[in-house]
Amino acid sequence: MAEKPVLTLYNTLTRSKAAFTPIDPENVRMYVCGPTVYDLAHIGNARPVIVFDVLFRLLRLVHGEKHVIYARNITDLDDKINARALRDFGAEIENGTLSLNEAIRRVTEKTANQFHSDVAMLGCLPPTHEPRATEFVQPREDGKADMITLIQRLIERGHAYETNGEVLFDTSSTADYGELSKRNLDEQQAGARVAVDMHKKNPGDFVLWKLSSSEEPGWTSPWGRGRPGWHIECSAMAAAYLGEVFDIHGGGLDLIFPHHENEIAQSRCAHDTKVMANVWMHNGFVQVEGRKMSKSEGNFVTIYELLHEEKFGGRKWPGEVLRLAMLMTHYREPIDFSVKRLEEAERLLAKWPAGGNPNEGRVDASVLTPLFDDLNTVGAVQALHALAQCANNDPLMMPVFAASAELLGVLPKKVEVSKALEDSVESLIQLRLEMLKAKNFDEADKLRDDLAAKGIQLKDGKDPATGERVTTWEVKR
């Protein structure tokens, strides 16, 4: 294999691509904002999970599996979740038999477990760490960063103030607030994401801590019983596992403002650092069948529904098809998630050989080169398809294809076939061969298509000795 090219990544902070140089090549660190486990994850949530899984795999290939740390949080700190915990377990919380964290865990455990199952079926590796927000509110016994301590530090350093029962971050206390989103303080007007209240010094000041009424769940703090704002949780969890400054922070484009902008401000001010992360990466939006996904549009679809229900396109979709469909668009571009796109991905996968051992081969340079260019999975998939064609014709190429496909998480798995299925398919193949001999082509094609719809791919060839038609088959899903 040719020498590896230099990994370049697009940095939202600088609006440019540059060579990626980790702070410590022996300890490469990445943080990605994870799901809020109030409800099932939708297909838009799947995109950053898939995108940064590919980057995680690529970084491990370059630096070694033991030298890359990937943290992706679980947001179980949400007013809707808290209200449900209080509703369902209020009596137990009141009498002390159940803590608030334990009640929230019970409310969110099913949804979190389903998220883990869904993304595993999409071929995603588990992150190195998966902290839950509720476990980082108050000071911890292990000394890891927590939200209350960070807020106290911000107040002490003049970056936050207490008013009207809230602790707010003072955006005017940091000269370059807005650097990520390119918004200036004097441009912060009332709008969809900026609430203007009389008790704020500036319209863009945001909540770090808010008080809880007797009807609302909360945690004890120096400012009274309450709960943290949204943004502070990621600053605490990222610092807890990756340190005050780390290499890469990722998430969806919709998080640039205000979430990531506010993360940067509070983390830098709390730790007195120039940056929170050196590289900020954001994936593009996901539309469904050409429209913005929403329940009111009737095109809101969850990962679970795609995998297990016949809702989208009237059928279930294999996880590898969903993943490949995502990777067929560059991560920074918007994607139109459609039945047509899934069918295209499925046809492509059907042409790829299954059952290869990735440990027996090395990733081909034709796949690595586009990935090193800002994670260009479009070019990598094109190169992988060419490798698949080579492997179909030359078994010696199979390990190279397998290693390359595994890097993208789209290596087709060989399906174990029962004796009953094997006998049934062989019988139908013989019937089809008889139809072809009788020139009953329409019926032969219908039989082939019926088998393909069941995931059984036929491949016609010729016996080298007799020249007669020979048909082989494999299960593609």
Side-chain angles (χ1 to χ4, degrees):
M1 186 178 68
E3 186 178 346
K4 295 175 186 174
V6 175
L7 174 60
T8 62
L9 298 173
Y10 182 85
N11 190 349
T12 308
L13 194 62
T14 61
R15 300 296 195 272
S16 63
K17 282 198 297 186
F20 172 65
T21 304
I23 298 167
D24 177 5
E26 298 294 307
N27 186 28
V28 183
R29 291 159 288 160
M30 176 172 71
Y31 184 90
V32 176
C33 290
T36 300
V37 288
Y38 178 72
D39 206 349
L40 294 178
H42 55 71
I43 192 59
N45 300 137
R47 193 175 193 191
V49 178
I50 292 171
V51 165
F52 292 104
D53 178 71
V54 174
L55 182 56
F56 182 39
R57 291 167 181 263
L58 184 61
L59 292 172
R60 298 202 322 168
L61 178 70
V62 174
H63 297 281
E65 292 185 11
K66 295 180 180 180
H67 303 294
V68 180
I69 301 173
Y70 172 23
R72 185 184 67 217
N73 72 297
I74 290 282
T75 294
D76 55 356
L77 237 177
D78 179 269
D79 281 353
K80 291 180 180 179
I81 294 173
N82 292 348
R84 185 175 293 182
L86 188 64
R87 182 197 70 189
D88 295 348
F89 303 102
E92 292 92 327
I93 295 171
E94 183 77 22
N95 63 32
T97 58
L98 201 65
S99 71
L100 176 59
N101 278 2
E102 290 168 336
I104 288 174
R105 178 64 69 100
R106 290 192 184 183
V107 168
T108 59
E109 196 68 21
K110 181 179 179 180
T111 310
N113 287 342
Q114 189 58 60
F115 170 75
H116 291 145
S117 174
D118 289 346
V119 297
M121 291 185 70
L122 295 177
C124 297
L125 301 173
T128 316
H129 302 290
E130 194 176 48
R132 285 174 171 261
T134 49
E135 297 172 354
F136 291 82
V137 176
Q138 297 175 309
R140 295 166 53 95
E141 291 183 2
D142 61 9
K144 282 187 169 65
D146 67 90
M147 301 177 211
I148 286 177
T149 300
L150 285 183
I151 295 171
Q152 287 177 307
R153 193 178 300 165
L154 288 168
I155 293 173
E156 292 166 1
R157 295 184 175 182
H159 296 293
Y161 58 97
E162 189 177 358
T163 177
N164 203 34
E166 294 181 340
V167 179
L168 299 173
F169 183 87
D170 183 357
T171 49
S172 66
S173 71
T174 174
D176 48 6
Y177 178 81
E179 187 179 19
L180 182 69
S181 61
K182 309 305 179 192
R183 294 175 180 231
N184 297 321
L185 266 180
D186 56 7
E187 295 174 347
Q188 302 290 9
Q189 302 297 327
R193 301 305 297 270
V194 181
V196 178
D197 296 303
M198 293 301 294
H199 64 284
K200 289 184 176 183
K201 291 182 179 180
N202 310 287
D205 292 355
F206 56 90
V207 174
L208 297 171
W209 189 265
K210 51 190 172 183
L211 296 182
S212 295
S213 70
S214 59
E215 303 298 318
E216 296 170 322
W219 287 260
T220 57
S221 81
W223 317 285
R225 181 176 172 276
R227 57 207 189 278
W230 173 28
H231 313 298
I232 194 68
E233 64 177 66
C234 286
S235 286
M237 289 183 283
Y241 287 104
L242 305 180
E244 296 178 354
V245 178
F246 51 94
D247 296 298
I248 299 170
H249 194 312
L253 199 64
D254 57 316
L255 296 180
I256 293 177
F257 185 85
H259 186 50
H260 287 170
E261 192 72 82
N262 292 346
E263 272 190 63
I264 290 173
Q266 63 202 10
S267 291
R268 289 179 56 202
C269 292
H271 303 307
D272 194 24
T273 58
K274 291 184 178 180
V275 296
M276 177 186 183
N278 284 336
V279 179
W280 288 79
M281 298 177 66
H282 295 90
N283 62 270
F285 292 114
V286 177
Q287 289 187 321
V288 176
E289 296 291 357
R291 296 174 297 156
K292 181 179 179 180
M293 183 174 60
S294 70
K295 291 182 179 178
S296 63
E297 288 280 345
N299 65 346
F300 187 90
V301 59
T302 68
I303 307 171
Y304 179 86
E305 289 169 335
L306 288 163
L307 292 167
H308 301 287
E309 298 178 5
E310 297 178 353
K311 177 178 178 179
F312 196 70
R315 53 165 291 191
K316 303 173 186 176
W317 297 94
E320 60 269 24
V321 171
L322 302 177
R323 183 182 179 98
L324 182 59
M326 285 286 188
L327 299 181
M328 287 162 59
T329 297
H330 191 279
Y331 80 91
R332 287 196 285 118
E333 297 296 323
I335 186 171
D336 184 16
F337 197 79
S338 64
V339 172
K340 181 179 178 182
R341 170 54 62 95
L342 293 179
E343 290 173 343
E344 183 183 352
E346 189 166 52
R347 285 193 297 270
L348 202 62
L349 277 168
K351 298 174 182 178
W352 294 358
N357 185 348
N359 297 323
E360 294 178 354
R362 297 182 67 184
V363 179
D364 195 75
S366 65
V367 173
L368 270 182
T369 299
L371 288 179
F372 271 70
D373 181 14
D374 190 33
L375 216 63
N376 179 5
T377 57
V378 180
V381 168
Q382 292 170 346
L384 189 61
H385 183 59
L387 284 176
Q389 292 176 311
C390 293
N392 280 327
N393 296 322
D394 181 4
L396 294 177
M397 285 296 296
M398 189 60 195
V400 176
F401 167 77
S404 303
E406 182 69 12
L407 178 61
L408 286 170
V410 290
L411 175 61
K413 302 295 190 294
K414 195 155 189 172
V415 180
E416 294 296 325
V417 178
S418 68
K419 183 66 166 61
L421 177 61
E422 184 177 350
D423 291 343
S424 173
V425 173
E426 290 292 348
S427 176
L428 291 172
I429 286 175
Q430 289 305 313
L431 177 60
R432 175 174 173 269
L433 290 173
E434 291 171 10
M435 291 175 176
L436 291 170
K437 285 181 181 178
K439 298 188 177 180
N440 191 353
F441 300 117
D442 289 343
E443 288 299 315
D445 289 346
K446 184 178 182 302
L447 183 55
R448 179 200 60 204
D449 294 342
D450 288 345
L451 286 169
K454 296 175 182 177
I456 296 165
Q457 185 77 28
L458 303 186
K459 184 177 181 181
D460 290 327
K462 286 187 178 181
D463 186 308
T466 66
E468 292 189 7
R469 183 191 297 265
V470 175
T471 301
T472 57
W473 61 282
E474 63 178 322
V475 179
K476 300 303 291 186
R477 68 173 189 273

